Amino acid sequence: MLLICVTGLLAREILPFKMPAIVYMGVIGIIISLPSMPGSELIIKWTEEVNTLALTTPILAYAGIAVGRSWTDFAKLGWKSIVVGTCVLVGTFLGSALIAEIILRMQGII
């Protein structure tokens, strides 16, 4: 996985497309794990053992630090931004739950 990350960072610097490195890392990871690629079984075996929940903790910590640095800008927005943010989060959750419910019922899982 480290090699995929380094390759993604190098691709961001070398390739003329101005995209975030995470896009390159994702594409590289998908390509090397395709069944038609040699060694993909080994890549899949290694990555199956990765605890994705453990990876989310540092990502959320980084996001918290990024928000914390601009807390004064956030405070300038006022209480209305909290109401709008809450509505967006609740709407996204309910929309996702509704879509999941429909798809799972169509598949006969529930």
Side-chain angles (χ1 to χ4, degrees):
M1 286 178 53
L2 182 62
L3 187 60
I4 293 170
C5 293
V6 170
T7 307
L9 290 171
L10 290 173
R12 182 190 65 185
E13 298 298 322
I14 295 171
L15 295 176
F17 314 110
K18 295 299 174 199
M19 291 192 294
I22 191 71
V23 173
Y24 292 115
M25 293 174 200
V27 170
I28 292 168
I30 290 170
I31 290 172
I32 66 170
S33 63
L34 290 173
S36 59
M37 293 297 290
S40 65
E41 298 86 13
L42 190 58
I43 299 291
I44 292 171
K45 179 183 171 191
W46 288 340
T47 55
E48 281 178 343
E49 298 176 15
V50 174
N51 183 357
T52 54
L53 186 59
L55 293 175
T56 59
T57 303
I59 293 169
L60 291 174
Y62 177 76
I65 291 169
V67 169
R69 282 192 281 164
S70 62
W71 188 251
T72 55
D73 295 335
F74 181 72
K76 290 177 187 175
L77 296 174
W79 65 271
K80 294 177 184 177
S81 62
I82 295 172
V83 173
V84 170
T86 303
C87 290
V88 168
L89 288 172
V90 169
T92 302
F93 175 77
L94 292 177
S96 300
L98 180 65
I99 292 169
E101 181 77 21
I102 292 168
I103 298 297
L104 290 173
R105 286 194 187 270
M106 286 172 51
Q107 293 178 342
I109 296 173
I110 58 171

